[in-house]
Amino acid sequence: VQLQASGGGLVQAGGSLRLTCAASGTIFRVNPMGWYHQAPGKERDLIASVTAGGATNYTDSVKGRFTISRDNSGNTVYLQMTSLKPEDTGVYYCNAFFGTFDRHWPAPYWGQGTLVTVSS
């Protein structure tokens, strides 16, 4: 089991970034996958998810700005982030989870996240 998020960096407000999550393990192919955002000093929150069948879900704060997708193998998940805001700053993690977007619990495999910093 392996998870690796990448693609973070420093960007100005209004800019874009594309995050990539490389995952190996059956759980990441068959379970919904999500991107989590942890702002400085805050809890880690699920902000976007995609099922094995490709259905997506987003928290209101990123709806219309972020797009989650996964490749056909299920081994790679992406998060296209546009119109970035300073409040999007934080560490982004990917992980599989159980349950639904609104009532879920993540798999116990937190890889190293990727830091996104949005300057105003």
Side-chain angles (χ1 to χ4, degrees):
V1 171
Q2 202 167 10
L3 274 174
Q4 181 64 53
S6 62
L10 173 63
V11 64
Q12 286 190 329
S16 300
L17 282 173
R18 189 193 199 203
L19 306 185
T20 299
C21 172
S24 63
T26 301
I27 188 173
F28 305 119
R29 289 195 299 274
V30 302
N31 278 56
M33 288 290 292
W35 281 98
Y36 294 75
H37 171 231
Q38 187 164 22
K42 301 265 182 86
E43 292 185 352
R44 195 174 299 180
D45 295 322
L46 179 63
I47 60 168
S49 71
V50 58
T51 67
T56 59
N57 217 330
Y58 302 91
T59 193
D60 286 345
S61 63
V62 307
K63 208 171 285 185
R65 299 189 298 123
F66 292 7
T67 303
I68 188 171
S69 60
R70 65 196 299 171
D71 68 1
N72 290 336
S73 70
N75 291 331
T76 307
V77 181
Y78 305 97
L79 186 68
Q80 180 67 49
M81 310 164 70
T82 63
S83 302
L84 282 161
K85 304 176 181 180
E87 51 264 42
D88 295 322
T89 293
V91 180
Y92 286 74
Y93 300 87
C94 59
N95 202 355
F97 65 86
F98 304 92
T100 65
F101 187 89
D102 295 321
R103 191 178 176 86
H104 76 282
W105 56 102
Y109 307 119
W110 292 109
Q112 199 168 6
T114 186
L115 176 63
V116 172
T117 304
V118 184
S119 63
S120 56

